[in-house]
């Protein structure tokens, strides 16, 4: 490490930098680096190589122990370790932190060192935050409270944030992460944000391209609006009664609406075979359309229905919202770029499901894991047939898997990820941000082409590797969004992550503040990081300030909601201080019981706070065993204790009820002080009721479009009517063609089955008659004949023929000619889709579909089958044939 550093210093002429190079020095961002970019690039390079090197070290356990038995290795390790610690000490000293990393006598071990590092990181990041605010032009009217040893930064706003006028250097401004004074887009949402402590229920209510119909819960939402049990009964109770009355299956509400379609998705041969990469259009010769009206969106949908692939990306904001907001969607076809305002069209974007779930149109994403969740959560969109270039990059073992690396590698485009963390809520969108956004998708189809070609090349022309990327991408599309759920154990998760050891008082404070933060964040629709960043939460718990002012002093800058509620926070701290002091708590052991499924986490969360645990972090509950005691802070006994020890009035703040004050009027619960113990208890019980059954409620804020669709004055009504008229004729034609194809298929299948039966019989006959010794031996040894027979019988038994290639082609052809005949594009009529075309009629026709088989097991089955060649694929493709949207489709249906 040292050698690298000195080399860098020498390279940059660091040592020679003295007074006579003063002129140069002022032009340079810092010695040796001409601007921030250069510095960041170098820094990141160093970090990456260090991370790589550390990953290459012998692993603890056998390997390491073995190496350690060599004195040379041991000495080397110790030497390197000391150097590293020295380095860290110096950095800490520089920032005025405790820095005795190397002093073994003063530290008991790794844990304490780790704490030191965490503390120092806090200080450094805080300082970064302050500098960023300064650069942003935040005018601090009052002197902030500085931590001990902290030098207030000189006012440098105009120096490094100014566009450099130097001729040679790129004149670029740094875009900062949060813009000031942006109107909260939430206020304009037609459908209120639901931050309640309840599991996420998919937003979908119409399911285009369905093979398996949408569960009744979703399509019936409208008709359940006026239930008898809603009258004059608390909603939770009404839910419960409704559930009892109708016995609706709960699973349906939580499953992935396109699980079945994705499970049965097969990749066409065309997509697995070699194709010539198609060069992207130069970006300045490409039109870029900003879509923020329903009409433009419908037009875009029409265009997308006509292409065979397009690229998609999203931009997201997570700081000033509890669940996060999808702010922008970028789509690129081979010819055009589109930027869609997903804040403006939030309630309308579901119409894109027509193409997003169309298996004959490929959607190319890069690193779509989050995108899948955002699409579901905010827009009710799902993706069927997706290619994720991030998965491809992994399969190809490229040096790095980021989009900017792919852009550089395949397109020689230097992208600039500075805007990634920009505040994407801003409107109108500045030109630079539009440009940034479109580069995220503009080149992606070309990259997709190149990567497919390479994946084939890599595997000597065999499709295996490419297929695995399609499979991985499909698995990404299967991801379900899950809402962060607050449980009485949530705080343990965060505590465990931080590896803090707290005493009983600190722990109690942590628990209280954590719950306060979660509750407030939900209510005000802010991120927990905005309400109270974790490092400040830690600081307060560590110090347990005696005065409210002490709490303020722990926070720098003081978050607005902390300032506003500092007295309440102080009460929590006081309460914690009253608890008998004992040494470090059982927190870490307690939490060992939980083996949460952790999501891979982005740790570079700018102003965003990564501490928020999400639903996925907790043990997964099957819907019927949903925790009833959500939102409670204490266990029964603790609660009892509290009730006797502590002023009950204060406890009002400890519950995390499911409401947003921002949007809704609280029902007379504001005056917590006036509640008796019994009232509190009653309230808790009612609240605990709300969670598991809430989903039966036809939410008071029923999706706007559902009513809009029936409101003749609304645009969507007009459009959907237009679609209806345009598509009825085509639909009928296509239905006819399909029916014919299906009949042909049935006929063919029947014949094939009969023939197979005959062949089998005659084969068995022949075996019986002419069983030679050799055949018997072969049969016995391999048991192979048995296997084959079994397969044949199962095929015949289910009477689900594998559609021959020819047959599918002919069906395809029928549709193609039709497509050609219908000159202009005619979108599919949704208003009928969930009624007869897709659901009941289809599933009846479709003899293969058996809802009882579609349990969670199907996924495992699929994976296991994936390795076996193509048996059983037949019914899958048939399902699609039957269930395919009524627009013609361009590709052969698929074999695995
Ligand atoms: P991208 O797919 O790179 O355009 O990123 C989409 C969104 O993910 C951005 O708008 C950010 O909100 C978020 N994001 C991406 N990278 C990061 C990161 N390193 N830290 C925090 N958020 C990120
Ligand atoms: Mn993305
Ligand atoms: Zn992006």
């Amino acid at each position: 490490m040292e050698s690298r550093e000195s080399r860098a210093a020498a390279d940059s002429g660091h040592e020679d930098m003295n007074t006579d190079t003063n002129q140069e020095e002022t032009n340079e961002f810092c010695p040796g680096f001409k601007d921030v970019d250069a510095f960041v690039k170098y820094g990141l390079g160093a970090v990456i190589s260090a991370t790589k090197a550390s990953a290459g070290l012998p692993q603890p356990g056998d390997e390491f122990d073995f190496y350690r038995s060599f004195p040379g290795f041991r000495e080397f390790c110790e030497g390197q370790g000391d150097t590293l610690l020295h380095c860290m000490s110096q950095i800490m000293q520089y920032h005025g932190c405790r820095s005795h990393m190397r002093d073994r006598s003063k530290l008991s071990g790794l844990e304490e060192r780790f704490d030191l590092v965490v503390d120092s990181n806090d200080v450094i990041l805080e300082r970064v935050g302050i500098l960023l605010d300064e650069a942003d032009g935040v005018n601090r009217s009052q002197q902030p409270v500085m931590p001990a040893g902290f030098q207030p930064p000189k006012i440098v706003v105009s120096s490094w944030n100014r566009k450099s006028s130097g001729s040679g250097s790129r004149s670029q401004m740094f875009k900062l992460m949060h813009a000031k004074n942006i109107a909260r887009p939430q206020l304009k949402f037609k459908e209120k944000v639901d931050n309640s402590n309840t599991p996420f229920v998919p937003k979908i209510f119409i399911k285009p391209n369905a093979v398996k119909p949408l569960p009744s819960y979703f399509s019936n939402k409208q008709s359940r609006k006026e239930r008898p049990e809603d009258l004059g009964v608390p909603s939770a109770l009404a839910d419960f009664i409704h559930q009892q009355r109708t016995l609706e299956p709960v699973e349906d509400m939580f499953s992935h609406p396109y699980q079945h379609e994705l499970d049965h998705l097969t990749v066409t041969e065309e997509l697995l075979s070699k194709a010539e990469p198609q060069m992207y259009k130069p970006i300045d010769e490409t039109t870029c359309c900003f879509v923020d009206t329903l009409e433009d969106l419908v037009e875009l949908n029409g265009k997308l229905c006509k292409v065979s692939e397009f690229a998609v990306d999203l931009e997201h904001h997570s700081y000033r919202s509890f669940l996060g907001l999808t702010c922008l969607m970028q789509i690129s076809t081979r010819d055009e770029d589109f930027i869609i305002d997903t804040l403006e069209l939030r309630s309308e974007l579901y119409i894109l499901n027509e193409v997003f779930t169309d298996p004959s149109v490929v959607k190319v994403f890069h690193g779509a894991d989050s995108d899948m969740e955002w699409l579901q959560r905010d827009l009710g969109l799902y993706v069927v047939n997706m290619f994720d270039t991030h998965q491809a990059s992994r399969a190809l073992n490229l040096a790095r898997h980021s989009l900017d690396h792919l852009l550089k590698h395949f397109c020689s485009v230097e992208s600039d990820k500075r805007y990634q963390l920009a505040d994407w809520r801003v409107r109108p969108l500045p030109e630079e941000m539009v440009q940034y956004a479109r580069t995220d998708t503009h080149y992606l189809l070309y990259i997709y082409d190149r990567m497919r070609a390479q994946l084939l090349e890599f595997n000597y022309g065999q499709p295996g590797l490419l297929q695995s990327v399609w499979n991985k991408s499909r698995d990404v599309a299967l991801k379900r969004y899950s809402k962060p759920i607050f449980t009485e154990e949530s705080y343990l998760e965060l505590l465990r992550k931080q590896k803090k050891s707290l005493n009983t008082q600190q722990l109690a404070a942590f628990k209280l503040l954590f719950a306060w933060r979660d509750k407030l964040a939900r209510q005000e629709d802010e991120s927990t990081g905005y309400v109270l960043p974790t490092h400040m939460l830690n600081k307060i718990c560590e110090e347990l300030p005696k005065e409210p002012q002490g709490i303020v002093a722990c926070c720098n800058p003081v978050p607005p909601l902390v300032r506003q509620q500092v007295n309440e926070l102080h009460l929590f701290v006081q309460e914690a201080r009253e608890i008998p002091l004992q040494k470090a708590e059982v927190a870490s052991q307690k939490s060992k019981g939980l083996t949460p499924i952790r999501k891979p986490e982005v740790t570079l969360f700018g102003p965003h706070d990564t501490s928020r645990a999400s639903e996925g972090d907790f043990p997964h509950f099957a819907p019927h065993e949903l925790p009833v005691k959500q939102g409670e802070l204490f266990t029964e006994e603790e609660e009892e204790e509290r009730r006797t020890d502590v002023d009950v009035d204060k406890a009002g703040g400890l519950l995390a009820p499911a409401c947003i004050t921002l949007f809704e009027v609280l029902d007379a619960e504001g005056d917590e002080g006036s509640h008796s113990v019994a009232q509190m208890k009653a309230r808790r019980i009612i609240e605990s009721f709300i969670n598991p059954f809430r989903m039966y409620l036809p939410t008071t804020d029923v999706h706007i479009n559902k009513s809009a669709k029936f409101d003749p004055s609304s645009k969507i009504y007009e459009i959907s009517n237009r679609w209806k008229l345009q598509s009825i004729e085509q639909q009928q034609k296509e239905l006819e063609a399909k029916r014919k194809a299906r009949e042909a298929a049935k006929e063919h299948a029947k014949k094939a089955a009969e023939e197979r039966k005959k062949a089998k019989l005659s084969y068995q006959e022949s075996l019986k008659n002419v069983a030679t010794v050799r055949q018997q031996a072969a049969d016995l040894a391999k048991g192979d004949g048995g296997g084959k027979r079994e397969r044949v019988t199962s095929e015949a038994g289910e009477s689900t023929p594998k559609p021959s290639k020819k047959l599918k082609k002919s069906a395809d052809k029928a549709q193609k000619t039709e497509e050609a005949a219908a000159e202009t594009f005619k979108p599919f009529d949704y208003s009928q889709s969930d009624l007869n075309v897709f659901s009941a009629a289809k599933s009846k026709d479709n003899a293969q579909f058996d809802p009882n088989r579609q349990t969670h097991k199907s996924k495992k089955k699929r994976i296991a089958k994936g390795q076996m060649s193509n048996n059983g694929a037949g019914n899958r493709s048939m399902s699609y044939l039957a269930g395919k949207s009524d627009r013609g489709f361009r590709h052969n249906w698929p074999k695995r």
Side-chain angles (χ1 to χ4, degrees):
M1 187 157 219
E2 248 174 4
S3 67
R4 198 186 311 135
E5 263 173 13
S6 52
R7 212 183 318 132
D11 282 349
S12 63
H14 180 260
E15 260 96 55
D16 320 317
M17 197 75 76
N18 49 34
T19 41
D20 54 36
T21 50
N22 231 355
Q23 184 53 39
E24 232 181 300
E25 213 170 336
T26 47
N27 283 341
E28 281 185 332
F29 158 70
C30 79
F33 299 96
K34 72 174 188 326
D35 57 14
V36 185
D37 273 357
F39 180 75
V40 168
K41 261 187 199 142
Y42 176 78
L44 282 179
V47 170
I48 287 169
S49 49
T51 314
K52 268 195 185 148
S54 81
L57 292 174
Q59 298 298 307
D62 288 350
E63 204 188 347
F64 181 71
D65 293 342
F66 171 71
Y67 279 111
R68 256 189 83 84
S69 63
F70 297 96
F73 179 81
R74 226 165 30 229
E75 268 165 37
F76 179 77
C77 280
E78 271 156 25
Q80 291 295 308
D82 276 347
T83 314
L84 276 176
L85 291 177
H86 179 68
C87 250
M88 292 164 88
S89 273
Q90 280 192 325
I91 294 173
M92 292 171 174
Q93 255 165 27
Y94 174 79
H95 288 282
C97 312
R98 287 192 302 151
S99 62
H100 40 273
M101 291 293 280
R102 284 168 76 201
D103 198 340
R104 295 213 170 86
S105 60
K106 285 200 188 134
L107 288 169
S108 56
L110 207 56
E111 212 152 279
E112 244 167 291
R113 282 202 185 120
F114 191 83
D115 281 352
L116 272 185
V117 173
V118 171
D119 288 348
S120 308
N121 279 343
D122 282 350
V123 171
I124 294 169
L125 286 176
E126 227 160 66
R127 194 169 174 173
V128 169
I130 291 168
L131 289 172
L132 285 175
D133 275 348
E134 296 287 0
D136 206 9
V138 181
N139 195 0
R140 289 185 189 292
S141 48
Q142 76 244 71
Q143 193 63 24
V145 187
M146 298 292 177
F150 186 87
Q151 291 294 309
K154 297 191 189 81
I155 304 302
V156 287
V157 177
S158 59
S159 68
W160 65 267
N161 189 31
R162 200 193 307 137
K163 270 189 189 182
S164 79
S165 48
S167 52
S169 61
R170 276 191 295 164
S171 54
Q172 284 177 331
M173 271 260 275
F174 242 93
K175 264 293 159 214
L176 286 146
M177 309 179 179
H178 41 150
K180 299 280 154 184
N181 304 323
I182 290 182
R184 290 171 69 78
Q186 293 98 313
L187 296 171
K188 285 209 295 182
F189 290 170
K190 292 170 188 156
E191 189 189 358
K192 286 173 202 158
V193 173
D194 177 10
N195 293 336
S196 64
N197 200 25
T198 55
F200 175 74
V201 180
K203 277 189 166 183
I204 194 166
F205 63 98
I206 291 175
K207 184 179 174 188
N209 301 302
V211 175
K212 185 182 176 181
L214 197 63
S216 60
Y217 171 78
F218 297 100
S219 37
N220 288 346
K221 263 187 192 168
Q222 186 74 19
S223 60
R224 290 202 297 102
K225 204 174 174 185
E226 279 154 31
R227 304 174 309 180
E229 55 268 30
D230 282 356
L231 303 169
V233 189
S235 57
L237 221 55
D239 274 349
F240 179 67
I241 297 166
H242 182 80
Q243 197 269 341
Q244 291 291 305
R245 198 168 63 85
T246 59
L247 295 175
E248 275 175 50
V250 186
E251 316 80 72
D252 281 355
M253 285 169 217
F254 300 102
S255 56
H256 191 299
Y258 283 87
Q259 175 90 37
H260 178 85
E261 287 75 6
L262 284 164
D263 280 346
H264 294 77
L265 180 66
T266 45
V267 183
T268 55
E269 235 164 54
E270 191 189 328
L271 296 179
L272 287 174
S273 50
K274 210 178 157 199
E276 206 46 49
Q278 189 179 333
M279 192 61 191
Y280 51 84
K281 255 168 96 172
I283 203 155
D284 45 5
E285 288 169 28
T286 312
T287 58
C288 180
C289 181
F290 190 77
V291 177
D292 62 353
T293 65
L294 182 56
E295 254 137 4
D296 288 349
L297 182 66
V298 171
E299 194 185 323
L300 167 63
N301 184 58
K303 282 182 180 166
L304 295 179
C305 286
K306 287 184 203 149
V307 300
S308 45
E309 66 269 302
F310 59 88
V312 191
D313 187 39
L314 301 173
E315 300 305 328
H316 184 260
H317 176 86
S318 57
Y319 189 50
R320 301 302 306 273
S321 141
F322 183 70
L323 298 171
L325 304 169
T326 305
C327 298
L328 217 62
M329 182 190 288
Q330 304 98 284
I331 290 185
S332 292
T333 64
R334 300 269 181 192
D335 303 312
E336 286 176 281
D337 297 328
F338 300 90
I339 308 277
I340 305 154
D341 187 342
T342 51
L343 293 173
E344 191 64 36
L345 293 173
R346 185 176 159 102
S347 295
E348 279 79 32
L349 268 155
Y350 72 92
I351 71 168
L352 289 187
N353 263 335
E354 185 179 15
V355 268
F356 273 52
T357 62
D358 184 338
S360 68
V361 179
V362 174
K363 275 70 64 177
V364 182
F365 282 75
H366 178 84
D369 299 65
S370 304
D371 301 63
M372 291 305 117
E373 300 195 7
W374 299 336
L375 286 173
Q376 297 173 25
R377 183 194 64 198
D378 294 342
L379 313 173
L381 283 172
Y382 296 84
V383 184
V384 177
N385 202 9
M386 193 245 295
F387 186 93
D388 189 331
T389 50
H390 175 83
Q391 297 298 339
S393 171
R394 300 184 81 94
L396 287 170
N397 230 335
L398 298 186
R400 286 192 288 130
H401 308 311
S402 64
L403 180 62
D404 37 343
H405 184 247
L406 298 187
L407 284 169
K408 204 180 294 165
H409 186 79
F410 290 108
C411 312
S412 307
V413 168
E414 285 284 343
S415 74
D416 176 352
K417 278 277 163 191
R418 284 178 312 162
Y419 290 100
Q420 194 172 47
L421 292 177
D423 192 330
W424 288 100
R425 297 172 305 161
V426 71
R427 295 293 181 277
L429 215 52
E431 184 53 28
E432 308 111 286
M433 284 169 80
V434 172
Q435 289 311 319
Y436 167 86
R438 60 190 287 220
T439 39
D440 270 0
T441 52
H442 181 80
Y443 305 93
L444 211 51
L445 288 180
Y446 173 71
I447 293 177
Y448 155 72
D449 290 346
R450 290 282 305 273
M451 292 187 110
R452 268 191 307 155
Q454 285 200 359
L455 284 161
L456 285 171
E457 240 169 69
F458 221 68
N459 212 31
Y460 310 104
Q462 295 303 306
L465 193 61
L466 180 52
Q467 174 75 63
S468 79
V469 172
W470 283 109
N471 291 349
K472 288 230 168 78
S473 305
R474 192 233 356 247
D475 290 343
V476 174
L478 272 167
K479 279 192 81 146
R480 278 182 310 153
Y481 172 68
S482 61
K483 223 190 208 182
I485 294 292
F486 179 88
T487 71
E488 51 187 280
E489 309 235 284
S490 303
Y491 78 101
L492 287 173
E493 270 308 305
L494 175 57
L495 212 55
R496 217 172 57 108
K497 260 185 222 161
Q498 306 193 70
K499 301 194 169 120
K500 290 244 171 208
S501 55
L502 301 177
N503 64 37
T504 42
Q505 293 185 351
Q506 291 169 329
L507 189 72
F510 192 90
K511 208 167 166 179
L512 289 163
L513 295 182
F514 184 89
W516 169 83
R517 174 172 93 157
D518 185 272
K519 178 194 165 189
L520 205 61
R522 285 176 199 267
Q523 271 184 12
E524 301 301 324
D525 199 18
E526 299 283 3
S527 66
T528 49
Y530 175 80
V531 176
L532 174 63
T534 300
H535 68 277
M536 296 184 191
L537 172 64
N538 286 333
K539 186 104 181 145
I540 299 172
C541 295
E542 212 170 274
E543 314 229 319
L544 297 177
K546 288 200 176 94
E547 304 295 327
Q549 205 46 40
I551 291 179
V552 174
C554 287
C555 307
N556 180 20
V558 188
L561 291 165
V562 170
R563 191 182 292 284
Q564 194 188 319
Q565 303 211 6
V566 71
N567 289 329
E568 182 161 359
L569 285 176
H570 184 243
L571 285 179
F572 291 144
V573 173
Q574 272 186 332
E575 199 175 318
R577 291 182 79 99
E578 280 161 26
I579 286 173
L581 189 60
Q582 276 166 25
K583 238 213 118 113
E585 241 283 273
V586 281
S588 51
Q589 286 136 317
K590 228 179 170 178
S591 59
K592 266 181 198 149
L594 298 168
T595 42
I597 320 134
R598 285 277 199 86
K599 288 188 187 171
E601 223 172 75
V602 192
T603 43
L604 262 177
F605 250 61
H608 315 229
D609 185 90
T610 54
S611 61
R612 196 165 83 224
S614 76
E615 202 180 317
D617 288 344
F618 305 114
H620 190 78
F621 300 101
H624 60 274
E625 53 185 28
L626 285 167
V628 180
K629 268 181 56 173
Q630 281 163 1
E632 269 180 52
L633 196 53
F634 293 91
T635 59
E636 294 272 290
E637 313 91 76
E638 281 174 309
E639 191 57 45
E640 201 56 48
E641 232 172 78
R642 283 171 46 75
R643 250 177 265 128
T644 48
D645 289 1
V646 179
D647 188 358
V648 179
D649 292 355
K650 287 179 209 152
L654 302 179
L655 299 163
C659 57
I660 310 169
T661 48
L662 190 63
F663 306 113
E664 280 164 332
V665 189
L666 278 175
D667 37 0
E669 281 180 1
D671 53 341
E672 280 154 356
S674 62
H675 284 269
S676 69
V677 177
Q679 278 172 320
M680 291 292 299
K681 200 166 183 176
R683 206 172 96 192
R684 243 194 341 273
I685 290 168
I686 286 180
E687 263 161 359
S688 72
F689 245 125
I690 290 173
N691 297 335
F693 304 116
R694 220 198 84 115
M695 48 282 209
Y696 295 106
L697 255 186
T699 37
T700 43
D701 43 28
V702 181
H703 201 291
I704 187 80
N705 292 288
K706 270 165 285 173
S707 27
K709 276 192 86 122
F710 303 100
D711 171 8
S713 67
S714 74
K715 249 187 196 151
I716 186 96
Y717 178 85
E718 190 189 310
I719 285 167
S720 88
N721 252 0
R722 206 158 67 217
W723 288 6
K724 219 183 273 175
L725 292 174
Q726 283 182 338
S727 59
I728 279 175
E729 202 187 337
Q730 191 190 5
Q731 265 183 60
Q732 280 170 347
K733 270 192 205 163
E734 290 184 1
L735 274 176
E736 183 63 20
K738 267 191 186 169
R739 216 200 55 228
K740 277 188 191 147
R742 250 190 330 257
E743 266 165 18
K746 263 189 199 157
E747 199 57 38
H748 183 95
K750 228 176 175 177
K751 269 191 203 148
E754 265 166 23
E755 262 161 36
R756 265 201 303 272
K757 227 175 185 173
K758 258 191 225 158
K760 200 178 97 188
L761 277 175
S762 70
Y763 171 68
Q764 282 170 342
E765 205 64 22
S766 70
L767 275 184
K768 242 187 251 161
N769 299 339
V770 224
T772 64
V773 179
R774 210 178 60 202
Q775 274 170 328
Q776 280 173 2
D779 273 357
L780 273 177
K782 287 193 283 176
D784 185 33
K788 260 184 200 150
R789 270 198 298 278
E790 211 171 87
R791 209 174 297 163
V792 172
T793 37
S794 80
E795 265 175 4
E798 281 181 4
S799 76
T800 51
K802 236 180 268 178
S804 73
K805 213 173 176 180
K806 232 194 210 163
L807 182 75
K808 274 183 287 163
K809 270 204 180 132
S810 69
D812 214 350
K813 229 193 251 163
Q815 268 156 342
K816 265 189 191 151
T817 43
E818 238 174 63
E819 216 181 28
E823 284 279 21
T824 50
F825 161 70
K826 301 198 172 134
F828 184 72
D829 175 19
Y830 279 131
S831 61
Q832 297 194 0
S833 64
D834 56 331
L835 304 172
N836 20 29
V837 186
F838 287 124
S839 48
K842 281 271 157 61
S843 57
K844 249 180 240 160
D845 283 354
N846 177 3
Q848 291 80 39
F849 172 58
D850 172 5
N852 298 325
R853 282 206 314 246
Q854 303 314 313
T855 54
H856 294 300
K857 280 168 216 139
S858 62
K859 195 174 171 194
K860 268 184 221 149
K861 235 166 50 192
R862 170 170 54 70
I863 291 163
K865 269 188 187 163
Q867 274 120 20
M868 288 152 63
S869 57
N870 81 34
N871 94 47
N875 37 2
R876 281 188 210 124
S877 23
M878 279 307 289
S879 307
Y880 264 120
L881 238 138
K884 177 67 187 65
S885 123
D886 289 1
R887 284 177 307 100
F889 54 106
R890 288 158 279 266
H891 305 296
N892 279 342
W893 277 111
K895 262 153 285 144
R896 221 168 240 213

